[in-house]
């Protein structure tokens, strides 16, 4: 143990005596560790922010849709199926069809393209907003097919220049048929939802309406391709899914036909995280290449150091220093160089991740915090140590194998 401390002191003394060269040697390690830490911290932070938004939106959403076989057999999902799912399956808080239409409207601000999302009153559970004015349409509106709608505050300003529009009418033309919708509510997008945003400049104006209101424009509202089911937090997602499929297959007498497919929000969230993880891992691997380059730099400098200190090695060996002592001396120096570079790289990487997340937060209007993990820091430290030892082995062995007589003869 005493010898190891002595080797460390000698290594630090030699590094201090060659500050400029030592820093340039560590530079590759610093850049590599810094890059890896930054990429992984920013990637994890982005994933955490995105997951928080998705969970706030509702991870209990289950999308049920008809397969190609069901479409060919015309076994669509009906309003009665939706009622049976809502009333008979434990853990289901609501359900709504995924119905929609497109049209146009003309206001004092010009002509606009419209997208109308039709559903039951439960449609509001799938949308990422708070009610700002008025209220959402009701079950009575759905049952009676009332032409009422809910609009976002940003779209209301585009159409009318103000979001104080509750009670106003929007003239709509769908498929050559004209009608109007009475605005009953104005929504406002929740804060910190930059990843999942429903509006952007130039997109069509969006209205949420009772699906039964489409009958006025000649659309049938007695069958659907897909529906969204909302399970509560206490319910088992897998059990709810099994019960939904069982209910549909029983009602349509198609057990074992795979007519109905399911995708839950948890599945989509897992896919999104997997894709982001792959991208982060790939970029981290690219950044880690500089660690290999840095390791080669360490090896080159250590070889130079061996050459410069040949006489020193010869004197030590002639005085009885063991081969293992010389080996450990140079390995310690290589390891200390990479450890110091790793520590500096970790500090710069953490500061860089904080800065990058701050810039992203300011640009996107969403709070993003670097995902700093102890495992990442520990892994980076161990990796930098490993680089130093691995690339220091050859120079150290070369120094240890020098003959004392040959070493003393060299100038």
């Amino acid at each position: 143990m005493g010898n190891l401390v002595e080797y460390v002191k000698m290594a630090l003394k030699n590094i201090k005596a060659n500050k400029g060269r030592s820093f340039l040697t560590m530079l590759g390690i610093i850049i590599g560790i810094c890059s890896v830490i930054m990429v992984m911290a920013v990637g994890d932070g982005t994933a955490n922010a995105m997951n928080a938004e998705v969970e706030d939106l509702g991870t209990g959403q289950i999308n049920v849709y008809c397969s190609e076989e069901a479409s060919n057999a015309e076994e669509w999902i009906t309003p009665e199926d939706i009622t049976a799912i809502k009333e008979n399956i434990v853990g289901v808080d609501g359900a709504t069809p995924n119905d929609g239409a497109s049209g146009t409207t003309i206001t004092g601000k010009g002509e606009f393209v419209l997208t109308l999302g039709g559903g039951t009153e439960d449609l509001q559970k799938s949308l990422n907003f708070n009610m700002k004015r008025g209220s959402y349409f009701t079950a009575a509106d759905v049952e009676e097919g009332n032409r009422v709608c809910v609009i976002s505050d940003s779209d209301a300003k585009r159409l009318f220049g103000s979001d104080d529009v509750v009670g106003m009418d929007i003239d709509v033309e769908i498929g050559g048929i004209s009608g109007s919708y009475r605005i009953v509510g104005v929504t406002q997008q929740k804060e910190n939802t930059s990843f999942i945003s429903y509006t952007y400049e130039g997109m069509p104006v969006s209205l949420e309406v009772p699906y039964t209101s489409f009958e006025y424009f000649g659309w049938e509202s007695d069958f659907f391709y897909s529906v969204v089911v909302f399970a509560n937090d206490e319910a088992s997602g897998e059990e709810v899914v099994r019960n939904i499929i069982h209910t549909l297959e029983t009602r349509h007498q198609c057990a074992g036909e795979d007519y109905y497919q399911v995708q839950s929000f948890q599945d989509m969230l897992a896919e999104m995280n997997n894709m982001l993880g792959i991208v982060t891992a790939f970029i981290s691997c690219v950044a880690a290449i500089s660690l290999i380059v840095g390791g080669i730099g360490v090896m080159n400098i250590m070889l130079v150091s061996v050459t410069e200190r040949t006489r020193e090695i010869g004197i030590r060996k002639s005085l009885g220093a063991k081969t293992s002592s010389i080996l450990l001396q140079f390995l310690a120096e290589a390891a200390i160089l990479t450890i110091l570079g790793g520590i500096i790289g970790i500090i710069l990487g953490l500061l860089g991740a904080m800065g990058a997340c701050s810039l992203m937060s300011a640009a996107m209007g969403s709070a993003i915090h670097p995902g700093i993990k102890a495992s990442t820091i520990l892994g980076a430290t161990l990796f930098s140590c490993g680089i130093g030892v691995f690339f220091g082995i050859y120079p150290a062995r070369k120094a240890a194998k020098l003959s004392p007589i040959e070493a003393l003869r060299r100038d």
Side-chain angles (χ1 to χ4, degrees):
M1 185 66 183
N3 289 339
L4 182 59
V5 173
E6 189 63 31
Y7 299 147
V8 171
K9 289 181 179 179
M10 292 173 63
L12 290 173
K13 182 179 179 181
N14 190 59
I15 291 171
K16 188 176 180 180
N18 299 278
K19 297 184 184 70
R21 188 172 70 182
S22 298
F23 176 75
L24 292 175
T25 303
M26 293 187 291
L27 195 57
I29 302 295
I30 293 172
I31 293 173
I33 294 293
C34 177
S35 302
V36 171
I37 293 289
M38 274 191 65
V39 170
M40 296 190 70
V42 172
D44 289 342
T46 302
N48 292 339
M50 184 175 64
N51 290 344
E53 288 189 17
V54 173
E55 288 172 3
D56 185 54
L57 215 161
T59 52
Q61 293 189 32
I62 301 169
N63 187 38
V64 186
Y65 58 95
C66 297
S67 66
E68 184 177 351
E69 291 78 7
S71 300
N72 293 335
E74 296 188 353
E75 291 291 344
W76 309 103
I77 301 171
T78 66
E80 292 75 23
D81 293 333
I82 296 175
T83 300
I85 290 170
K86 291 172 63 174
E87 295 180 351
N88 300 332
I89 298 179
V90 176
V92 170
D93 284 343
T96 180
N98 271 328
D99 207 0
S102 59
T104 59
T105 185
I106 299 176
T107 69
K109 295 289 185 177
E111 182 174 357
F112 298 86
V113 176
L114 298 175
T115 59
L116 295 88
T120 67
E121 69 282 1
D122 292 329
L123 180 61
Q124 62 183 314
K125 296 179 180 179
S126 69
L127 302 175
N128 197 30
F129 62 74
N130 295 312
M131 293 303 303
K132 185 175 183 179
R133 299 179 185 274
S135 61
Y136 211 79
F137 59 80
T138 65
D141 291 322
V142 176
E143 185 175 348
E144 297 170 11
N146 293 334
R147 295 198 307 278
V148 294
C149 70
V150 176
I151 188 172
S152 70
D153 55 353
S154 58
D155 281 340
K157 291 174 183 177
R158 291 171 62 193
L159 291 179
F160 303 106
S162 169
D163 59 18
D164 188 10
V165 294
V166 173
M168 296 177 62
D169 291 334
I170 298 178
D171 296 323
V172 176
E173 182 177 328
I174 301 175
I177 300 176
S178 297
S180 63
Y181 277 91
R182 175 68 53 86
I183 301 173
V184 295
V186 177
T187 63
Q188 181 180 41
Q189 184 170 294
K190 292 181 180 178
E191 295 181 359
N192 297 329
T193 53
S194 299
F195 293 100
I196 305 170
S197 178
Y198 291 97
T199 60
Y200 58 85
E201 191 65 29
M203 77 176 293
V205 171
S206 178
L207 306 179
E208 284 90 51
V209 303
Y211 75 90
T212 49
S213 67
F214 292 145
E215 294 178 357
Y216 175 86
F217 299 94
W219 289 51
E220 296 183 12
S221 58
D222 53 358
F223 62 88
F224 312 102
Y225 171 75
S226 67
V227 299
V228 177
V229 179
F230 304 97
N232 59 46
D233 295 335
E234 290 76 23
S236 168
E238 294 182 359
E239 184 177 352
V240 171
V241 166
R242 285 196 300 269
N243 290 335
I244 291 171
I245 297 300
H246 176 73
T247 298
L248 291 174
E249 289 183 342
T250 299
R251 290 181 57 82
H252 292 264
Q253 300 180 358
C254 59
E257 299 291 339
D258 292 329
Y259 276 4
Y260 305 103
Q261 306 294 322
V262 173
Q263 185 177 43
S264 67
F265 239 58
Q266 287 90 340
D267 295 335
M268 292 187 286
L269 184 60
E271 290 179 8
M272 291 166 59
N273 284 332
N274 186 48
M275 291 177 61
L276 186 58
I278 291 173
V279 172
T280 301
F282 174 75
I283 298 175
S284 297
C285 289
V286 172
I289 292 175
S290 61
L291 284 173
I292 307 300
V293 176
I296 294 172
V298 170
M299 182 172 64
N300 288 337
I301 294 301
M302 291 307 300
L303 285 171
V304 171
S305 182
V306 169
T307 302
E308 290 179 345
R309 296 159 65 187
T310 300
R311 289 184 60 83
E312 175 193 330
I313 296 169
I315 293 171
R316 290 194 62 201
K317 295 198 75 173
S318 65
L319 293 175
K322 296 180 180 180
T323 300
S324 58
S325 299
I326 303 298
L327 179 66
L328 286 175
Q329 176 188 344
F330 281 87
L331 276 180
E333 188 169 330
I336 289 172
L337 276 173
T338 50
I339 290 172
L340 290 175
I343 293 173
I344 296 172
I346 289 170
I347 295 172
L348 293 179
L350 294 177
L351 293 175
M354 292 177 184
C357 287
S358 296
L359 291 175
M360 291 173 63
S361 298
M364 301 177 68
S366 178
I368 303 174
H369 306 287
I372 300 170
K373 296 181 180 178
S375 58
T376 301
I377 296 174
L378 179 62
T381 303
L382 293 177
F383 192 76
S384 63
C385 292
I387 286 286
V389 172
F390 180 79
F391 285 99
I393 287 175
Y394 175 69
R397 283 174 59 86
K398 183 177 180 181
K401 288 184 177 182
L402 281 175
S403 164
I405 298 174
E406 288 295 326
L408 289 170
R409 280 180 179 176
R410 295 187 186 179
D411 187 2

